[in-house]
Amino acid sequence: MPSYYKRYRNHGCRLTEDLQYKGYRTLMLENDLIQVILLLDRGGEPVRWLHKPTDTDLIWHTRTGLLPAHGLYPDYQMTYLGGWQEMMPEVSRTHEYRGATVHRGETSITPWDYELIREDEEELRVQLTNRLRSLPLKVEKTFILRHGDTAVRMEERVYNESPVPIEFNWGHHLAYGAPFLKEHSRIGFHPGSVVVNMETGERSVWPAMPGANSQVDLSVMASPGTPRPLLAVESRSGEYRLDAGDRVGLSLTVRWDADIWPYVWYWQNFAADSDAPFFGNEYNIGLEPFNVPPKWTLAEAAERGAALKLDPNGSLSAWLEIELSKEGEKDET
């Protein structure tokens, strides 16, 4: 917790506490290259992921953006501001499971606690904690930043706090749009990654669109107004790269624990949907590592043996890493 007598430092790796933004408790993590602002009272999600040398923020915000909390709109969908969220114990839709109401993205809309593990000029470690209300689970997530490094690593562990086995779904809802993602942006997966059309079951090798439209290159952004189906990418490497495709030459590489999250949900919203939730306002995509294929609920995943499962009082760990680079600094994915 913050201390009144903590010595102020404005260089190296550092944490700024005692902040509020629109009524939410907030933390600011930074080094010489990256600044990350997290909303503790709203899932610990980032509202800024700034690359300082180019003044580029990776977090896309919707038309309404972040609004103060309101009792009329308590759920994930109605409070969605864009950007990146941690989803647990349900990733598709709110439903009943084992007598509990498991909410979509419970961990993304409930408060997280935090503890400062290490803070010096060379490294910053901050651990966030959430104890779920629907299921007896606790999740710990440690953010790690190092001096001179544009990579932010998140090391996570989930605990079953009960004497009975517990199933859950889990993943990261990573969505991209302006100012980083544009029509000239490009996506790269490792060779051999497989694309699945969840509506038809058709499969292809990345970057071809499954089915009759195999000439469509999914690594290229579509023109505004182009409708696209929800897809899954099976990535054994657990890595993709997103190039901004502009004169700044900034790229984002996401790496994750593919043993826990073997599927990437690839949803493409090229301002083609005239209905909720965007009403044609947004041009954006999602590339989201999850433990299940798109739209499988916890009940469905448990029945099919795809849900994550913890033994009584057991735990499991996973990790996610997000790195920024400029053109010429990293090899292509």
Side-chain angles (χ1 to χ4, degrees):
M1 290 299 153
S3 168
Y4 285 114
Y5 303 107
K6 178 182 176 180
R7 186 178 297 276
Y8 175 73
R9 180 163 50 80
N10 60 2
H11 62 280
C13 297
R14 56 201 186 271
L15 176 70
T16 304
E17 306 165 87
D18 272 342
L19 299 176
Q20 279 206 351
Y21 181 59
K22 294 193 175 182
Y24 300 93
R25 289 179 305 135
T26 302
L27 294 179
M28 183 164 66
L29 297 68
E30 58 186 319
N31 61 13
D32 50 322
L33 300 173
I34 297 290
Q35 182 190 79
V36 177
I37 297 180
L38 305 176
L39 300 180
L40 288 172
D41 286 334
R42 189 187 152 77
E45 76 170 285
V47 289
R48 178 180 299 167
W49 201 287
L50 183 71
H51 183 245
K52 292 181 179 181
T54 62
D55 192 31
T56 303
D57 190 353
L58 277 292
I59 302 300
W60 155 72
H61 289 250
T62 65
R63 176 183 61 87
T64 54
L66 177 67
L67 296 173
H70 194 289
L72 188 60
Y73 302 111
D75 69 346
Y76 174 81
Q77 189 63 60
M78 293 302 296
T79 60
Y80 181 62
L81 62 90
W84 307 343
Q85 297 85 30
E86 175 133 7
M87 308 288 279
M88 182 192 295
E90 171 53 32
V91 300
S92 295
R93 61 177 176 83
T94 299
H95 66 290
E96 298 294 319
Y97 181 66
R98 292 178 62 177
T101 300
V102 286
H103 288 271
R104 181 189 182 201
E106 177 182 336
T107 52
S108 70
I109 58 175
T110 51
W112 290 61
D113 206 350
Y114 80 97
E115 179 182 358
L116 180 58
I117 305 299
R118 173 179 173 178
E119 183 188 21
D120 54 49
E121 293 185 24
E122 294 303 315
E123 184 173 294
L124 175 66
R125 289 178 179 251
V126 182
Q127 180 178 280
L128 274 60
T129 303
N130 188 302
R131 180 170 274 114
L132 277 67
R133 307 179 190 191
S134 60
L135 298 177
L137 297 174
K138 182 179 77 169
V139 56
E140 295 175 345
K141 174 167 60 178
T142 301
F143 284 81
I144 304 170
L145 286 76
R146 296 185 173 91
H147 178 73
D149 197 348
T150 58
V152 179
R153 185 175 175 88
M154 287 152 275
E155 297 181 349
E156 306 196 64
R157 182 167 290 276
V158 184
Y159 299 87
N160 177 4
E161 298 187 311
S162 80
V164 298
I166 296 294
E167 304 88 359
F168 61 100
N169 284 341
W170 186 20
H172 290 267
H173 190 283
L174 307 179
Y176 307 98
F180 175 68
L181 182 105
K182 306 171 181 67
E183 287 185 54
H184 300 293
S185 298
R186 297 290 184 269
I187 305 168
F189 279 90
H190 277 256
S193 298
V194 175
V195 186
V196 184
N197 185 323
M198 298 309 299
E199 296 174 2
T200 66
E202 296 170 307
R203 302 168 69 87
S204 64
V205 176
W206 178 269
M209 172 79 82
N213 294 321
S214 59
Q215 74 280 3
V216 173
D217 185 348
L218 293 170
S219 70
V220 178
M221 298 298 101
S223 300
T226 303
R228 288 280 177 83
L230 176 61
L231 303 172
V233 181
E234 298 174 353
S235 173
R236 293 185 178 181
S237 66
E239 180 176 337
Y240 65 74
R241 177 173 170 136
L242 186 56
D243 296 323
D246 58 14
R247 60 179 178 81
V248 176
L250 196 63
S251 296
L252 171 75
T253 301
V254 180
R255 306 179 186 92
W256 65 92
D257 189 337
D259 291 334
I260 302 297
W261 303 308
Y263 302 97
V264 176
W265 297 16
Y266 181 23
W267 57 271
Q268 305 161 84
N269 175 47
F270 298 121
D273 192 347
S274 59
D275 295 327
F278 301 128
F279 298 98
N281 279 298
E282 309 292 348
Y283 182 98
N284 65 293
I285 64 171
L287 290 167
E288 307 163 347
F290 284 111
N291 69 292
V292 290
K295 299 302 183 182
W296 285 21
T297 66
L298 174 54
E300 292 167 335
E303 183 178 354
R304 300 178 186 186
L308 296 170
K309 186 175 182 179
L310 286 176
D311 292 332
N313 302 304
S315 68
L316 66 79
S317 62
W319 59 272
L320 176 78
E321 187 173 87
I322 296 174
E323 182 177 13
L324 289 166
S325 61
K326 289 202 66 178
E327 185 175 350
E329 294 178 342
K330 298 287 180 181
D331 292 335
E332 292 287 339
T333 296

